[in-house]
């Protein structure tokens, strides 16, 4: 059942609409628990589109196995998705920096407020993001310290590889996840893959995890697969950042999940003009690569890798 969450007028007698698909159980039990999946906040992050598509197919074909309501929001920023723009095109604005919005504010603030109002009726929410076009990430959930006690047990059921508990920052207070967690809707932020692409294996992995979490919450009574146990990082000094020491074209020598040693080459930064090597960035710690540069052109200081300082189990 397609429903319009919020509509706002655009120039030349057009409208901007945010829509969701509500999937109802075939045999309602009267509980009415709502499980929501949202994505498309950033228009260049498309990994969630595949997840929404596959979940729609699975759940609509198995409504007899639903014990609650599932709301799927594939595009909170449809203008951004349609133009492959990270923010809201007309405003040059990051949508995930204006929540919880304001019904009396600008069009963007009004839309954000209405989205929060609609999602606040949920009992649980998953907010799916991809990385940007520059980096590719293993499937992970990022959680602020202030919500870790509540959210980590849920994240462990989501079939992701890594849970990153990080310190709260001021900017996080303007995100959708912070706004929903603040009003009592447990919300997990998933980051996976790379911008402007769809990584099917990551999407399938997350779908298995979503069904498992829904089963644990009593919303899904269908079959579920065994989920992987994620690595959990709670200390800031467990994450090592590798930045480009020079500008050029980056050629990686490592991949996701590679175990590296301190002093090992991460890649080469080369000069296509004369065939020389500008630099060979090194790992500063022993650990596991969980972020790697996807876009080859780098400037001095560009992030090219993140390493988790511990051994791979």
């Amino acid at each position: 059942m397609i429903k319009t969450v919020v509509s706002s007028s655009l120039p030349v007698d057009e409208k901007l609409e945010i829509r969701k698909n509500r999937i109802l159980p075939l045999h309602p039990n009267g509980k009415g628990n709502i499980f929501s999946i949202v994505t498309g906040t950033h228009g260049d992050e498309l990994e969630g589109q595949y997840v929404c598509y596959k979940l729609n197919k699975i759940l609509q074909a198995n409504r007899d196995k639903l014990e609650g309501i599932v709301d799927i929001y594939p595009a909170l920023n449809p203008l951004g998705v349609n133009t492959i723009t990270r923010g809201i095109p007309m405003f040059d604005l990051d949508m995930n920096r204006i929540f919880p919005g304001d019904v009396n504010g600008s069009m963007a603030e009004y839309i954000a407020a209405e989205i929060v109002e609609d999602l606040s009726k949920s009992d649980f929410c998953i907010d799916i993001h991809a990385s940007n076009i520059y980096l590719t990430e293993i499937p992970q959930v990022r959680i602020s310290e202030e919500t870790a006690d509540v959210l980590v047990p849920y994240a462990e059921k989501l079939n992701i590889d890594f849970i990153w508990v990080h310190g709260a920052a001021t900017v996080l207070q303007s995100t959708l996840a912070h706004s929903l967690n603040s009003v009592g809707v447990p919300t997990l932020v998933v980051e996976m893959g790379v911008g402007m692409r769809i990584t099917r294996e990551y999407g399938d992995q997350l779908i298995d995890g979503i069904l498992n979490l829904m089963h644990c919450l009593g919303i899904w009574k269908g079959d579920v697969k065994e989920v992987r146990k994620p690595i959990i990082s709670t200390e800031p000094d467990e994450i090592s950042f590798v930045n480009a020491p020079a500008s050029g074209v980056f050629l990686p020598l490592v991949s996701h999940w590679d175990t590296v040693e301190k002093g090992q080459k991460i890649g080469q930064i080369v000069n296509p003009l004369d065939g020389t090597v500008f630099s060979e960035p090194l790992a500063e710690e022993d650990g596991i690569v969980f972020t790697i540069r996807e876009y080859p052109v780098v400037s001095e200081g560009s992030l090219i890798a993140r390493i988790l300082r511990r051994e791979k189990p």
Side-chain angles (χ1 to χ4, degrees), residues 8 50 53 72 114 150 230 257-258 263 274 276:
S8 181
Y50 176 74
Y53 160 71
I72 298 177
E114 291 296 312
V150 173
W257 283 116
D258 282 356
D274 61 11
T276 58

Side-chain angles (χ1 to χ4, degrees), residues 10 14 16 40-46 49 75-93 95 133 195-196:
L10 293 172
E14 295 179 337
L16 168 64
T41 308
H42 294 132
D44 61 350
E45 298 179 1
L46 305 177
Q49 302 302 309
L76 295 191
N77 177 14
L79 291 177
V81 173
N82 288 336
T83 58
I84 323 176
T85 304
R86 183 170 183 81
I88 303 174
M90 294 185 300
F91 297 87
D92 192 24
L93 182 67
M95 189 173 188
I133 64 171
M196 297 190 186

Side-chain angles (χ1 to χ4, degrees), residues 3-310:
K3 302 185 72 173
T4 297
V5 176
V6 55
S7 176
S8 181
S9 296
L10 293 172
V12 200
D13 198 29
E14 295 179 337
K15 285 188 176 181
L16 168 64
E17 289 188 340
I18 313 296
R19 298 190 294 174
K20 69 179 180 182
N21 190 14
R22 167 159 287 188
I23 305 173
L24 300 170
L26 190 62
H27 306 292
N29 58 15
K31 295 181 181 179
N33 292 334
I34 301 175
F35 188 95
S36 293
I37 296 130
V38 303
T39 191
T41 308
H42 294 132
D44 61 350
E45 298 179 1
L46 305 177
E47 301 282 8
Q49 302 302 309
Y50 176 74
V51 175
C52 290
Y53 160 71
K54 287 293 292 287
L55 273 177
N56 264 307
K57 287 179 68 72
I58 292 169
L59 298 178
Q60 291 183 57
N62 295 276
R63 289 176 53 216
D64 58 316
K65 298 174 183 176
L66 273 179
E67 294 288 324
I69 298 167
V70 178
D71 282 344
I72 298 177
Y73 304 70
L76 295 191
N77 177 14
L79 291 177
V81 173
N82 288 336
T83 58
I84 323 176
T85 304
R86 183 170 183 81
I88 303 174
M90 294 185 300
F91 297 87
D92 192 24
L93 182 67
D94 187 335
M95 189 173 188
N96 213 26
R97 297 296 180 267
I98 58 173
F99 290 104
D102 181 355
V103 292
N104 297 313
S106 66
M107 184 190 81
E109 292 173 311
Y110 166 72
I111 288 172
E114 291 296 312
I115 288 171
V116 170
E117 171 64 22
D118 197 67
L119 281 167
S120 65
K121 303 178 181 68
S122 304
D123 295 283
F124 201 95
C125 181
I126 296 178
D127 183 13
I128 304 173
H129 291 259
S131 186
N132 53 36
I133 64 171
Y134 301 105
L135 302 167
T136 180
E137 306 274 7
I138 63 173
Q140 60 194 264
V141 169
R142 297 183 183 178
I143 298 172
S144 65
E145 288 176 336
E146 61 187 13
T147 58
D149 289 345
V150 173
L151 295 183
V152 167
Y154 293 120
E156 289 180 298
K157 298 174 171 59
L158 206 50
N159 199 36
I160 40 85
D161 297 312
F162 181 42
I163 298 173
W164 186 357
V165 179
H166 54 79
T170 303
V171 71
L172 292 177
Q173 297 179 6
S174 58
T175 64
L176 176 63
H178 179 87
S179 298
L180 292 177
N181 280 308
S182 297
V183 296
V185 180
T187 302
L188 295 176
V189 176
V190 176
E191 298 266 356
M192 64 180 189
V194 63
M196 297 190 186
R197 298 290 185 274
I198 286 177
T199 313
R200 289 194 180 200
E201 58 267 34
Y202 287 172
D204 290 332
Q205 177 182 336
L206 180 60
I207 288 165
D208 289 341
I210 290 173
L211 292 174
N212 180 68
L213 178 56
M214 288 171 56
H215 187 274
C216 294
L217 293 172
I219 295 174
W220 172 254
K221 61 180 181 180
D223 295 335
V224 295
K225 297 180 181 178
E226 184 177 354
V227 298
R228 59 192 72 192
K229 185 176 181 179
I231 296 175
I232 303 174
S233 173
T234 59
E235 301 298 329
D237 61 3
E238 290 182 324
I239 307 298
S240 173
F241 297 82
V242 182
N243 298 95
S247 300
V249 174
F250 175 64
L251 305 177
L253 296 174
V254 297
S255 302
H256 281 152
W257 283 116
D258 282 356
T259 300
V260 296
E261 299 178 352
K262 183 177 180 178
Q264 180 178 335
K265 294 179 184 178
I266 297 297
Q268 295 179 317
I269 299 175
V270 303
N271 183 356
L273 181 62
D274 61 11
T276 58
V277 176
F278 283 132
S279 178
E280 294 179 318
L282 306 177
E284 297 182 357
E285 302 287 343
D286 298 342
I288 306 162
V289 177
F290 72 91
T291 301
I292 193 69
R293 181 81 177 188
E294 178 77 15
Y295 190 75
V297 178
V298 297
S299 299
E300 183 177 354
S302 297
L303 180 64
I304 57 176
R306 292 191 188 100
I307 296 172
L308 179 63
R309 293 171 175 166
R310 62 176 67 179

